[in-house]
Amino acid sequence: QVQLVESGGGLVQSGGSLRLSCAATGFTFRSYAMMWYRQAPGKEREFVGSISSSGGSSAYSDSVKGRFTISRDNALNTVYLQMNSLNADDTAMYYCKVRLPWSPHDVWGQGTQVTVSS
């Protein structure tokens, strides 16, 4: 069974840092790119960033570029989102996602809440 489980969210002060984790099971993790998204209350879910299957390349939305870094450990089947210089606009539920060729839908985790206090 394919499953993604996020962790590491919490309450942090503006300017602080958090590292989110997403543990994957049920598929060959090292073969697939991974993505992070977020959804703030009352807003649509938005793309945060992605990382290639090898970890050799990544991409970020303009809103987080230079502050967030995605990495992965293929031995641990885990992808990370390091978030620095957090501000109130980063408050959201954060999700990881994978697109698998045999699945009719993208696979999402349950999300982890990040709240930044000003």
Side-chain angles (χ1 to χ4, degrees):
Q1 180 183 358
V2 176
Q3 191 173 19
L4 301 173
V5 178
E6 300 94 336
S7 61
L11 176 64
V12 62
Q13 289 188 336
S14 182
S17 299
L18 277 177
R19 189 178 81 154
L20 307 184
S21 300
C22 170
T25 56
F27 63 100
T28 306
F29 179 77
R30 65 181 181 273
S31 296
Y32 298 97
M34 298 294 298
M35 287 140 279
W36 284 97
Y37 284 74
R38 66 185 182 184
Q39 187 167 21
K43 295 187 178 181
E44 293 189 355
R45 194 170 295 190
E46 66 169 347
F47 173 79
V48 172
S50 63
I51 188 167
S52 64
S53 58
S54 68
S57 63
S58 57
Y60 301 91
S61 68
D62 288 343
S63 61
V64 307
K65 196 175 296 181
R67 300 187 298 122
F68 290 12
T69 303
I70 299 175
S71 61
R72 65 191 293 161
D73 187 331
N74 284 345
L76 296 178
N77 290 353
T78 301
V79 61
Y80 304 98
L81 179 65
Q82 177 67 45
M83 306 185 295
N84 299 328
S85 301
L86 288 162
N87 59 63
D89 290 338
D90 297 315
T91 294
M93 186 73 79
Y94 284 72
Y95 302 88
C96 60
K97 188 192 86 170
V98 65
R99 180 165 295 171
L100 300 172
W102 66 85
S103 176
H105 306 289
D106 293 339
V107 178
W108 295 85
Q110 86 288 350
T112 187
Q113 178 68 39
V114 172
T115 302
V116 183
S117 64
S118 55

